Amino acid sequence: MSDTSPISYLVLTRTEEAIPELYGEALVPESVHRELVHPNRPDVVRERISDSPAGIKEETVGSSNGERSPGKEEPGDLQDLDSGEREAIRLSVQEEAGLLIDERAGRTVARMHGIKVTGTIGVLGAAAQKGLIDPGRAVRDLRQTSFRASADLYCWLLDKRQ
């Protein structure tokens, strides 16, 4: 399962091919897919996701396309998250799977639901350990985006060189 930002950053760093190698495939809920192809996304992200890349598949959440049933309240811990984060967490619970997510609030809520989480840096680290990517290039490319991480996290990723 994945939220929007890890997929976006993996596409922007040309490392999204690591997803099927590491996870088989990443399911994304409909709202995340809509966010990925939204006109405000970088062209390369919209185009790559529109081409249905291997390892990334849109999935429906529950029987109601991820929407709440009429009269049913959203659990309080999900109310403050955006729709992509909410659906990604619900899909992870539904599929009993881990979640790729970067946003701190979403990670906290996912963990409260017993979901194992990792983010963009974690995916890149796992890919580097398997020799799927060059972590130096990934760090360089990631720093050219709006992604923000501590110097310690970038150093951790660079230490994953084979």
Side-chain angles (χ1 to χ4, degrees):
M1 306 315 120
S2 184
D3 187 31
T4 305
S5 64
I7 300 288
S8 291
Y9 290 119
L10 293 172
V11 169
L12 289 170
T13 59
R14 301 177 309 260
T15 57
E16 76 276 10
E17 290 86 12
I19 291 171
E21 295 291 328
L22 295 171
Y23 307 109
E25 71 181 355
L27 301 178
V28 297
E30 295 165 352
S31 62
V32 167
H33 188 268
R34 282 192 304 273
E35 289 175 9
L36 289 166
V37 297
H38 191 275
N40 71 354
R41 289 282 165 209
D43 291 343
V44 66
V45 173
R46 285 195 330 268
E47 291 166 8
R48 186 72 177 116
I49 299 305
S50 294
D51 289 342
S52 301
I56 302 172
K57 179 183 172 200
E58 185 178 354
E59 183 73 20
T60 300
V61 179
S63 60
S64 59
N65 294 335
E67 297 298 325
R68 286 182 283 175
S69 301
K72 184 177 179 185
E73 286 298 312
E74 188 77 73
D77 59 357
L78 293 175
Q79 288 179 358
D80 293 331
L81 303 178
D82 71 29
S83 63
E85 292 167 342
R86 283 193 308 268
E87 281 192 20
I89 290 169
R90 286 198 301 261
L91 185 59
S92 290
V93 169
Q94 173 184 307
E95 299 294 323
E96 298 179 358
L99 177 62
L100 306 179
I101 187 168
D102 287 325
E103 294 76 19
R104 184 173 295 162
R107 290 169 73 96
T108 299
V109 171
R111 286 184 182 118
M112 288 171 36
H113 284 267
I115 299 167
K116 181 181 176 187
V117 299
T118 193
T120 300
I121 294 283
V123 172
L124 293 172
Q129 284 183 312
K130 289 192 171 211
L132 301 173
I133 66 159
D134 170 16
R137 193 196 87 193
V139 166
R140 185 179 59 249
D141 291 348
L142 202 51
R143 284 185 168 163
Q144 304 266 327
T145 71
S146 60
F147 186 83
R148 297 294 167 253
S150 69
D152 288 343
L153 279 177
Y154 284 120
C155 287
W156 176 86
L157 177 54
L158 290 170
D159 285 344
K160 299 299 176 195
R161 293 178 199 215
Q162 283 197 337

